[in-house]
Amino acid sequence: MSERIEIGEDMLADDRAQADAIRRRLREAGCVAVNLMSSPGAGKTSLLEKTAELAGGRWRLAAVQGDVATDLDARRLHRLGIPAVQVTTSAFGGECHLSAGMVARALDSLDLRAADLLFIENVGNLICPAAFDLGENARVVLLSVTEGEEKPLKYPAIFQGLAAALISKIDLLPHLPVSLARLRETVRAVAPGVEVIALSAMSGEGMDAWLAWLERLVARPRGGRA
Amino acid sequence: MSERIEIGEDMLADDRAQADAIRRRLREAGCVAVNLMSSPGAGKTSLLEKTAELAGGRWRLAAVQGDVATDLDARRLHRLGIPAVQVTTSAFGGECHLSAGMVARALDSLDLRAADLLFIENVGNLICPAAFDLGENARVVLLSVTEGEEKPLKYPAIFQGLAAALISKIDLLPHLPVSLARLRETVRAVAPGVEVIALSAMSGEGMDAWLAWLERLVARPRGGRA
């Protein structure tokens, strides 16, 4: 676990420099990157699959998939013809988040010039990824309705500096004691003004709003953070 | 985040000593402790509420509730008359797991002699809590069917040294592309021989097996780890 690694100010500064270098690589390649964060099983990979299906070639996609172990997620995207590199953090001592250094290394295996939109799927964890800039242009949190209404209040840090908050699996709402209105409220309590999109990769509901949001992100002048 | 804390061998040894001291306190008080770990929103507190309801005074319960922020969970148990202490790790720099030191401090506010069964509800995180011995007698992971079939393969460390794996929210199975048989398989792939109990705190299904498991745990000679 990460507690055994001593990271001083030098290493944090190095991390920031690596993140800035990634943003430069993305800008030069004309590619926009989204850092997608969530609890385990909130549906990050399913969202990417459905996004690819519905976007129908509108953008050239690529992905970096973070997990502690297995390359299951990258294989799911390969089946759709999306270039994807799996980063397994067990190679880094079982890290609980991606870091800019890991992403930089993964990008060496991807042709960024052949991509308009890069999804960086973080390790499933609602705490640790909050503190790490991966060189992305936009940070997005995916929160499943099955996690309940109060998770934003319990995990506030990951909702800071967000470009958008996605509420996933809304097809399950009829079977849960969860109010979508209350969940939107708790998101906005910790991330005032953030764009909140409720969707289901299963039913497709809300995917149009997500694709429209991506459209605006890709069309924006490049290089900064949303 | 934890990366900024330098923990050397001395501190890890100190952590182990604190965990052993907690086990001694528990044994002397005649109380058994369960370290309950899961992703955010897998239903740890709902399980404890339902356990208290169905146990109907069979055991005197107590709880230590870990969260990064808020005391929502402890308040839920107080409403049922269960002595519960909330540990908010934001006071420790936003830690992503409980530690023996935090639990020891929380136990100073609980009368262990007035409890037969102590639940230590860890911070919602399927990675970092794996590495920390809290002085518990039994480690239990709760995995929601909504998280999909493959999470055990992706987060193997937390399934090591388990006394039981609980599969929660099985009332949602009819609405999910998830096979309970496959989920049992992936649990057993990383934790061979572990007892797996599928249940729903909502419908009550499977709760009898969980209560029977707790009965055996409480009846056991005290002091060691399951």
Side-chain angles (χ1 to χ4, degrees):
Chain A
M1 293 292 101
S2 50
E3 274 64 13
R4 299 175 192 193
I5 299 175
E6 298 182 359
I7 298 194
E9 278 307 310
D10 284 2
M11 286 186 74
L12 288 173
D14 183 57
D15 214 55
R16 280 191 292 270
Q18 293 216 51
D20 288 336
I22 289 171
R23 260 186 293 276
R24 276 196 303 277
R25 280 169 84 171
L26 289 164
R27 190 174 54 236
E28 284 163 19
C31 181
V32 170
V34 173
N35 177 0
L36 197 57
M37 302 175 289
S38 83
S39 296
K44 296 185 290 301
T45 313
S46 296
L47 176 69
L48 297 190
E49 288 174 329
K50 193 70 177 180
T51 301
E53 175 197 329
L54 296 178
R58 201 187 310 187
W59 313 293
R60 297 167 302 164
L61 303 178
V64 174
Q65 315 283 107
D67 265 306
V68 177
T70 83
D71 63 347
L72 293 165
D73 288 353
R75 283 199 271 147
R76 283 170 66 180
L77 297 188
H78 289 162
R79 282 197 284 273
L80 300 175
I82 299 171
V85 178
Q86 182 80 46
V87 177
T88 52
T89 66
S90 55
F92 299 86
E95 285 281 352
C96 45
H97 58 85
L98 289 180
S99 67
M102 297 177 202
V103 173
R105 218 180 300 178
L107 293 184
D108 292 340
S109 307
L110 281 176
D111 180 4
L112 282 183
R113 289 177 198 282
D116 304 303
L117 189 51
L118 171 74
F119 287 105
I120 305 170
E121 191 181 320
N122 220 312
V123 176
N125 184 334
L126 220 45
I127 307 173
C128 313
F132 293 84
D133 180 357
L134 305 182
E136 72 276 342
N137 305 103
R139 291 167 84 85
V140 173
V141 162
L142 190 63
L143 196 67
S144 164
V145 293
T146 60
E147 296 173 49
E149 298 165 349
E150 295 155 349
K151 289 301 163 296
L153 306 178
K154 290 183 172 183
Y155 304 85
I158 207 148
F159 289 85
Q160 306 309 306
L162 276 196
L166 309 184
I167 298 176
S168 66
K169 306 197 189 185
I170 58 171
D171 60 292
L172 294 174
L173 278 171
H175 315 293
L176 296 169
V178 168
S179 146
L180 185 56
R182 172 69 187 144
L183 189 44
R184 283 178 184 276
E185 262 176 40
T186 57
V187 169
R188 290 193 166 123
V190 292
V194 77
E195 179 141 0
V196 182
I197 301 170
L199 52 75
S200 164
M202 185 79 77
S203 71
E205 197 185 345
M207 288 296 296
D208 50 346
W210 165 237
L211 291 175
W213 187 88
L214 287 174
E215 187 77 64
R216 291 196 298 278
L217 180 72
V218 173
R220 233 183 34 176
R222 304 291 162 83
R225 283 178 78 175
Chain B
M1 294 293 98
S2 51
E3 272 65 15
R4 299 174 192 192
I5 298 175
E6 298 182 0
I7 299 194
E9 277 308 309
D10 284 1
M11 288 186 73
L12 288 173
D14 183 55
D15 215 55
R16 279 191 294 269
Q18 294 218 51
D20 288 336
I22 289 172
R23 259 185 294 274
R24 276 195 304 275
R25 282 169 83 172
L26 289 164
R27 189 176 53 236
E28 284 162 20
C31 181
V32 170
V34 173
N35 177 1
L36 197 56
M37 303 176 287
S38 82
S39 296
K44 295 185 290 303
T45 313
S46 296
L47 175 69
L48 297 190
E49 288 173 329
K50 194 70 177 178
T51 301
E53 176 198 328
L54 296 178
R58 199 184 315 185
W59 312 292
R60 297 167 302 164
L61 304 178
V64 173
Q65 315 281 109
D67 264 308
V68 177
T70 83
D71 63 349
L72 293 165
D73 288 353
R75 284 198 271 148
R76 283 171 66 180
L77 296 189
H78 290 163
R79 282 197 285 273
L80 299 175
I82 300 171
V85 177
Q86 181 81 48
V87 177
T88 51
T89 65
S90 55
F92 300 85
E95 285 282 350
C96 44
H97 58 84
L98 289 180
S99 67
M102 298 178 202
V103 173
R105 219 181 300 178
L107 292 185
D108 292 339
S109 308
L110 281 176
D111 181 5
L112 282 182
R113 288 178 199 281
D116 305 303
L117 190 51
L118 172 74
F119 287 106
I120 306 172
E121 190 182 321
N122 220 311
V123 176
N125 183 333
L126 220 46
I127 307 171
C128 313
F132 293 84
D133 181 356
L134 305 182
E136 72 275 342
N137 305 104
R139 293 167 82 86
V140 172
V141 162
L142 188 63
L143 195 68
S144 164
V145 293
T146 60
E147 296 172 48
E149 298 164 349
E150 295 155 348
K151 288 301 163 297
L153 306 177
K154 290 182 173 183
Y155 303 87
I158 208 147
F159 289 86
Q160 305 310 305
L162 277 196
L166 309 184
I167 298 176
S168 67
K169 305 197 189 184
I170 59 170
D171 60 292
L172 293 174
L173 278 171
H175 315 294
L176 296 170
V178 167
S179 148
L180 185 56
R182 172 69 187 145
L183 188 44
R184 283 178 185 276
E185 262 176 40
T186 58
V187 169
R188 290 193 167 123
V190 293
V194 78
E195 179 140 0
V196 182
I197 301 170
L199 51 77
S200 163
M202 186 77 77
S203 70
E205 197 184 344
M207 288 296 296
D208 50 345
W210 166 235
L211 290 175
W213 187 87
L214 286 174
E215 187 79 64
R216 291 194 299 278
L217 181 72
V218 173
R220 234 184 32 177
R222 305 291 161 83
R225 284 178 76 176

